Amino acid sequence: EALLFAPSEREKGSILEQMAQVLLAMNRDFDACRAAEHAVECRPDWHCAHWTLGRCLLNFGELNKALASLEVAAAFEGNDEELNAELEEARHLVNSATERASNDASKQVIVNGRVVVSRFWETALRVTYDADGRPTTHYPEDGDPEKG
């Protein structure tokens, strides 16, 4: 409701930034990212909006975007020690994820900063298609995926 009565975009930006922090505390990372993005749209020159967006994106797993937002925040307010510490931590996370992805020749992939191991081909069920293109899934008998 506060957004409805906010007289200016500046005030809406402040409210949205605070909403993003609350949503972040509630572990609603996607909603927090959306609120923080709107805060940045309302107040693009405010370092707190970019900082909060960076935090939200880190929690959501968007490491590169988070790093970019934190760098913008630091460009506006470079003397803040807490901000600089978070920026260094984000750089470390990005570098670590990139290094793990380049050194690991397994079936692991880094997606949005998270390690994903694909077991699709180990668990996929055999599917055939009839003349009309309708799929039929063949479930294994006796738990053997080769039989189907």
Side-chain angles (χ1 to χ4, degrees):
E1 288 182 23
L3 289 173
L4 296 174
F5 299 108
S8 69
E9 288 295 305
R10 267 185 89 68
E11 289 186 27
K12 284 182 184 178
S14 298
I15 293 167
L16 286 163
E17 188 269 340
Q18 292 170 4
M19 285 175 54
Q21 289 189 34
V22 169
L23 290 165
L24 199 56
M26 295 171 59
N27 292 322
R28 292 177 52 189
D29 299 331
F30 179 74
D31 295 327
C33 288
R34 292 185 62 205
E37 286 170 349
H38 290 303
V40 167
E41 289 172 8
C42 291
R43 293 188 66 180
D45 58 345
W46 188 35
H47 78 282
C48 290
H50 291 279
W51 190 353
T52 299
L53 178 58
R55 287 177 172 169
C56 294
L57 290 167
L58 272 177
N59 272 20
F60 192 60
E62 292 284 350
L63 300 183
N64 290 325
K65 289 181 181 181
L67 180 59
S69 287
L70 292 172
E71 286 173 343
V72 171
F76 285 122
E77 190 68 34
N79 296 331
D80 191 307
E81 290 180 19
E82 186 180 353
L83 172 58
N84 289 328
E86 286 187 36
L87 179 58
E88 284 306 310
E89 178 64 23
R91 285 182 178 139
H92 173 71
L93 287 172
V94 169
N95 291 338
S96 174
T98 303
E99 184 179 320
R100 275 184 300 172
S102 65
N103 291 339
D104 192 0
S106 72
K107 295 179 182 176
Q108 293 182 350
V109 190
I110 304 291
V111 177
N112 291 336
R114 296 180 179 105
V115 177
V116 177
V117 179
S118 175
R119 303 254 186 253
F120 176 77
W121 297 114
E122 297 171 16
T123 60
L125 298 173
R126 190 168 66 89
V127 177
T128 57
Y129 299 90
D130 66 12
D132 296 321
R134 291 184 296 251
T136 301
T137 303
H138 301 275
Y139 294 96
E141 298 173 15
D142 302 325
D144 185 3
E146 294 300 317
K147 296 179 183 177

